[in-house]
Amino acid sequence: MHSFPRRAITKEKPYRINFVCLGNICRSPTAEGVFQHLVMEDGLEEYFEIDSAGTGSWHVGNPANSKSQDIANQHGIRLLSRARQALASDLEYFDLTVAMDHSNAADLQAMAVKDEHEEKIVLLRDFDTDPGDGAVPDPYYGGMDGFKNVFDIVYRSCRALLDTLKTDVIR
Ligand code: 4NP
């Protein structure tokens, strides 16, 4: 697994995670909603602060794509976020920035002004037990199968990410 910033996670200093894709309407809102759901299932909501963003600005203010919402809803998960564009200052604020694909990661790396910021950028599939080519494929121009595939990848990877971070939680 890729190394990433670890620290003690407490109620006083929750771990801040930002999931990032291109539009912030398909993949990263799914990751935000799934990770939040898993955190709540594990009773850890006071220990994590979760957000998402897009490197592009086309969809700012929009809710998640209806296909992304439908699949999440089928799994009892609601996607409530509105799209926002990723900011350079996000790399300072968040402990970890989780990119959906290599292009998102490269765009984020270009926003980093400190080595410390670059070290905070990882790929979601760095945590996947079945990482494929390392990317969560962009489902935007495809059909329902692509969105289902995204949900499965995101769910599996978020579960593994949370299992790793849980070992840093000090209750
Ligand atoms: P996302 O999907 O990055 O998973 O939110 C996309 C959404 C919109 C566009 C591309 C990808 N777009 O080109 O508008």
Side-chain angles (χ1 to χ4, degrees):
M1 190 190 293
H2 185 90
S3 73
F4 67 98
R6 306 282 294 268
R7 63 168 174 83
I9 302 173
T10 62
K11 284 187 190 177
E12 290 69 35
K13 201 163 182 242
Y15 196 79
R16 295 167 172 171
I17 305 179
N18 192 26
F19 295 98
V20 177
C21 62
L22 180 59
N24 194 211
I25 53 168
C26 304
R27 293 166 293 174
S28 61
T30 300
E32 178 187 353
V34 166
F35 195 84
Q36 182 72 59
H37 174 84
L38 294 172
V39 160
M40 283 165 63
E41 266 188 355
D42 288 357
L44 293 170
E45 54 271 30
E46 289 173 288
Y47 296 88
F48 291 94
E49 188 179 316
I50 304 152
D51 200 356
S52 67
T55 57
S57 62
W58 311 285
H59 299 282
V60 167
N62 291 349
N65 179 285
S66 58
K67 293 196 193 86
S68 300
Q69 290 199 44
D70 287 348
I71 289 166
N73 291 345
Q74 285 166 26
H75 291 85
I77 298 172
R78 298 195 64 200
L79 305 184
L80 301 172
S81 69
R82 294 270 171 169
R84 70 175 186 96
Q85 189 169 22
L87 304 167
S89 58
D90 288 345
L91 292 169
E92 182 69 32
Y93 182 82
F94 290 94
D95 292 289
L96 191 65
T97 293
V98 184
M100 296 299 119
D101 65 27
H102 299 85
S103 160
N104 310 145
D107 288 344
L108 289 161
Q109 292 288 354
M111 295 166 78
V113 294
K114 292 184 190 172
D115 289 349
E116 183 198 321
H117 293 172
E118 294 189 25
E119 287 157 16
K120 291 178 174 182
I121 301 164
V122 296
L123 288 168
L124 181 64
R125 294 195 82 178
D126 288 344
F127 302 93
D128 193 347
T129 48
D130 180 11
D133 68 357
V136 182
D138 183 347
Y140 188 61
Y141 293 104
M144 203 64 186
D145 283 356
F147 284 83
K148 282 191 180 134
N149 185 42
V150 164
F151 184 90
D152 291 345
I153 291 169
V154 163
Y155 191 94
R156 196 168 66 224
S157 303
C158 282
R159 182 69 264 172
L161 172 58
L162 181 56
D163 285 343
T164 300
L165 288 171
K166 267 168 93 165
T167 64
D168 297 335
V169 169
I170 315 238
R171 284 181 186 264

